[in-house]
Amino acid sequence: MQIAIGSDHAGLELKTEVISILNDLGHEPVDFGTDSPASVDYPDFGEKAASAVSTGKTERGILICGTGQGMSMVANKFRGIRAALCNDLFSAKMSRMHNDANMLIMGGRIIGKDLAKEIVKTWLSTPFDGGRHCNRLDKINAIETKNMKGESQL
Ligand code: RB5
């Protein structure tokens, strides 16, 4: 699977590990930077990777910043993106089973490479449960469409 990946300086070290994990698993990471430890703004890199997933250039995406919070905020601005901040295994599993998350976000200053490896493996291998959860995802899509049309006021 082609997987967009990006980070800021705080996520660079873990991003490098995750790229190697993805290659070992037989996936094709598409790296949107950053490439150096120099301080950068996470929205610039989150935007590139989230855009690739939102437009269907890649099926899934992974973003890493210091905590994962900023990258989550950026990714979830994009149409069709369901970005899940997962710094633990249970969240990674549930974000696939119940939310059909198409982007995984992690905090490079929170988790180490061994936990990240398990999170990535779990997140990529866990299928969506479907069923009652489809209706809920439809409702998320409906909210997104309403917001785009400026009709979000209840
Ligand atoms: C960078 O210092 C840090 O703010 C960023 O990596 C991220 O944690 C933001 O949410």
Side-chain angles (χ1 to χ4, degrees), residues 44-134:
D44 296 335
F45 299 89
E47 181 180 18
K48 290 177 190 167
S51 173
V53 181
S54 178
T55 57
K57 290 192 181 82
T58 66
E59 199 173 323
R60 302 263 192 105
I62 298 178
L63 284 169
I64 305 165
C65 60
T67 58
Q69 301 288 0
M71 285 298 200
S72 302
M73 292 175 192
V74 171
N76 279 312
K77 295 290 180 197
F78 281 78
R79 190 169 176 79
I81 294 298
R82 292 179 301 279
L85 173 54
C86 303
N87 287 320
D88 65 274
L89 275 175
F90 184 69
S91 298
K93 190 173 174 186
M94 297 309 288
S95 78
R96 290 291 311 133
M97 287 171 67
H98 286 196
N99 313 109
D100 197 19
N102 52 12
M103 293 197 77
L104 168 66
I105 320 294
M106 293 179 288
R109 288 177 176 160
I110 296 181
I111 58 171
K113 69 174 164 59
D114 291 340
L115 177 55
K117 182 176 182 175
E118 293 310 309
I119 288 173
V120 168
K121 278 167 64 179
T122 298
W123 189 75
L124 288 172
S125 63
T126 304
F128 177 44
D129 269 358
R132 69 188 187 281
H133 303 293
C134 291

